[in-house]
Amino acid sequence: MSDLRTTPLHDRHAALGAAFTDFGGWSMPVRYGSDLAEHHAVRTAAGLFDISHMAEFLVTGSGAAAFLDYSLAGRVSAMSNGKAKYSLLLDEAGGVIDDVIVYRIADDRFLVISNAGNRDAVAAELDARINRFVHLHAFREGQLKGDFAFIAGAGAPRVEDISDQTSLIAVQGPRAREIVEATVGIADVAPALVDLGYYAWSSALFEGASLLIARTGYTGEDGFELMVPNAVAPALWDALLAAGEPLGLVPAGLASRDTLRLEAGMPLHGHELSTDILPTQAGLGRVVAADKDDFVGKEALAAASADLPVLVGLVSEGRRAGRAGYAVLDVDGTPVGEITSGALSPTLGHPIAMAFVPPALAAPGTELLIDVRGTRIPATVTALPFYRRIA
C-alpha cells in the first residue's frame, strides 16, 4: 500500500487500530474493530467517518450558476444561498460520470463535492465544459461582436480543484447534532444547527479556521459533513471524538458506510451508477431538470428507450445474501439481471440487494431468484429504500 494516498487523519486511524483498504487509490480505514458494531452505532448513536478522500471544486464567477446548469443535470441556479443539492454530471450519451453534491456559497460561488475515484474525470469535464459553455452562451446572448478576447476572458466561470487543501469529516447518527454542538473549538455557527434544514449548511470557525458544516450524509441518518483546512483536521477529529464518546460516538470505516448506504437505498458509483447507466434507470429521473434549455446529455436522455433495465430492491429470507455480480433470474430460471450491491442487512436482519432488471419485472411484489454461488434463493422486488429513519 506504499503508493496509496493518505488523508491528514491517517495517523489518527492507525492509532485507533484501523484496518486499511485501497479505495480509489487511497489508503482508507475499512473498520476499527467490528464493522457490524460501527453500523449499529450509527443507527443508534453516531459514527465518525473520515471522508477526506473525496474531491472538492470551487466554481466561481458571474456565470457560475448558469455554467453549472449547463454542466449538471439539475437546476443549480434555482438553489438559494446556504442550500445544497444532489446532482449528476452526465456525458453526452446521458451516462453518469459522477454524482455530486453542490453547495451554494454565494450568488456567484459554489462548492461541488465529487467521489474520490472520479476526481480527475470530473475536473477534466468541468474544465472542458467551460469553453463550450462560454461560446454557446456568447452566440445565444449576442455577445459576439468580433471581440473574441472578451469572450475568452471576462465573464467565464472559474473552476478550482481544492481537494488537496481540504478535509471532510462526517458525523452521522441520531445524536450527531448533540455531538457537533458539544465539540470544543467549534464557534460562530450560523445558522445554528438546530435551525439547519436537511441539505443546507452553516458557516463556522474551528480554532480560528473556516469550517463548513453541512446537514448531509450517506448513511440514511441525520448527520453532518464538516469541511476544514487540512492543517486543523486532526484537531477537529480529536475534538469530535472527545465530545461524542460519552454519547456513543465511535469511529466508523468504509465497511459500515457501505451497509448503511445500501440500507438507505443510496447509489454507489461503479455499482448503481456509471457511464453505461442513465439516471432514469437508477431511479434518479427526479434529479434531472429536463425542462432546462440545455445541459450536457439532454438530447440523449430525451431519445432513450423506455425498455432499459431499471434498478430495484430485492429482499430475501434467511442469511445468505447476494453480492455484486450475482445473477438474478425469473421464476423459470432464466437470467434477467444482475445484482449491483447486496448484503445481509445489519439493521433489518435479512438479505437485501439492489439489481437491474427489465421494467416488466420491476413492480414491487414480483418474485425472482438470486443465484448465490449455485444456490437459487427466492427474492421479492421491493421499493427503495430498505430502511427509512424515523424523524
Side-chain angles (χ1 to χ4, degrees), residues 172-263:
Q172 297 284 298
R175 307 202 73 171
R177 182 166 64 84
E178 289 177 77
I179 292 165
V180 176
E181 289 175 333
T183 299
V184 175
I186 294 180
D188 297 340
V189 181
L193 298 187
V194 69
D195 299 322
L196 191 67
Y198 195 46
Y199 267 69
W201 61 273
S202 295
S203 61
L205 294 174
F206 178 73
E207 296 189 345
S210 296
L211 170 64
L212 183 147
I213 307 176
R215 200 161 202 161
T216 53
Y218 193 54
T219 62
E221 294 297 334
D222 189 16
F224 301 89
E225 295 176 321
L226 298 85
M227 189 174 84
V228 289
N230 287 343
V232 299
L236 178 59
W237 174 273
D238 294 343
L240 289 165
L241 265 184
E245 283 178 336
L247 301 174
L249 176 74
V250 302
L254 292 176
S256 62
R257 189 169 171 81
D258 191 53
T259 51
L260 289 160
R261 72 89 193 169
L262 174 58
E263 289 182 343

Side-chain angles (χ1 to χ4, degrees), residues 41-352:
V42 174
R43 290 281 183 250
T44 59
L48 188 64
F49 298 87
D50 178 11
I51 53 173
S52 302
H53 57 308
M54 299 187 75
E56 298 90 23
F57 303 89
L58 275 180
V59 182
T60 58
S62 60
F67 168 66
L68 288 173
D69 275 354
Y70 168 73
S71 296
L72 302 176
R75 192 184 301 278
V76 173
S77 60
M79 184 169 50
S80 303
N81 294 345
K83 299 294 185 182
K85 188 179 188 67
Y86 178 82
S87 195
L88 301 169
L89 182 73
L90 306 179
D91 61 18
E92 293 285 356
V96 180
I97 296 172
D98 202 7
D99 58 338
V100 300
I101 296 182
V102 185
Y103 301 82
R104 190 161 198 165
I105 308 299
D107 288 349
D108 58 356
R109 189 175 180 85
F110 296 82
L111 172 69
V112 179
I113 298 184
S114 76
N115 287 294
N118 290 327
R119 173 182 174 181
D120 291 345
V122 172
E125 283 296 326
L126 292 178
D127 182 54
R129 290 177 188 188
I130 285 180
N131 288 332
R132 290 160 56 191
F133 166 79
V134 169
H135 285 82
L136 177 67
H137 281 255
F139 280 104
R140 287 181 174 174
E141 297 168 6
Q143 296 176 358
L144 264 182
K145 299 176 181 177
D147 184 357
F148 288 88
F150 167 77
I151 295 167
R158 175 184 174 89
V159 179
E160 297 175 77
D161 185 343
I162 60 170
S163 309
D164 291 338
Q165 288 76 47
T166 54
S167 293
L168 273 175
I169 299 172
V171 185
Q172 297 284 298
R175 307 202 73 171
R177 182 166 64 84
E178 289 177 77
I179 292 165
V180 176
E181 289 175 333
T183 299
V184 175
I186 294 180
D188 297 340
V189 181
L193 298 187
V194 69
D195 299 322
L196 191 67
Y198 195 46
Y199 267 69
W201 61 273
S202 295
S203 61
L205 294 174
F206 178 73
E207 296 189 345
S210 296
L211 170 64
L212 183 147
I213 307 176
R215 200 161 202 161
T216 53
Y218 193 54
T219 62
E221 294 297 334
D222 189 16
F224 301 89
E225 295 176 321
L226 298 85
M227 189 174 84
V228 289
N230 287 343
V232 299
L236 178 59
W237 174 273
D238 294 343
L240 289 165
L241 265 184
E245 283 178 336
L247 301 174
L249 176 74
V250 302
L254 292 176
S256 62
R257 189 169 171 81
D258 191 53
T259 51
L260 289 160
R261 72 89 193 169
L262 174 58
E263 289 182 343
M266 295 178 169
L268 175 64
H269 197 277
H271 290 249
E272 288 77 37
L273 299 174
S274 77
T275 52
D276 295 324
I277 298 170
L278 304 182
T280 50
Q281 290 182 260
L284 296 175
R286 68 187 184 284
V287 176
V288 180
D291 60 339
K292 284 193 301 185
D293 288 342
D294 189 27
F295 63 90
V296 177
K298 180 177 180 179
E299 292 184 5
L301 295 185
S305 168
D307 295 328
L308 296 171
V310 293
L311 188 68
V312 298
L314 296 173
V315 294
S316 305
E317 297 181 353
R319 309 292 290 177
R320 301 190 65 181
R323 305 290 181 179
Y326 286 13
V328 179
L329 311 96
D330 64 17
V331 291
D332 297 322
T334 302
V336 295
E338 185 175 291
I339 288 178
T340 52
S341 299
L344 178 63
S345 167
T347 303
L348 304 173
H350 59 72
I352 59 174

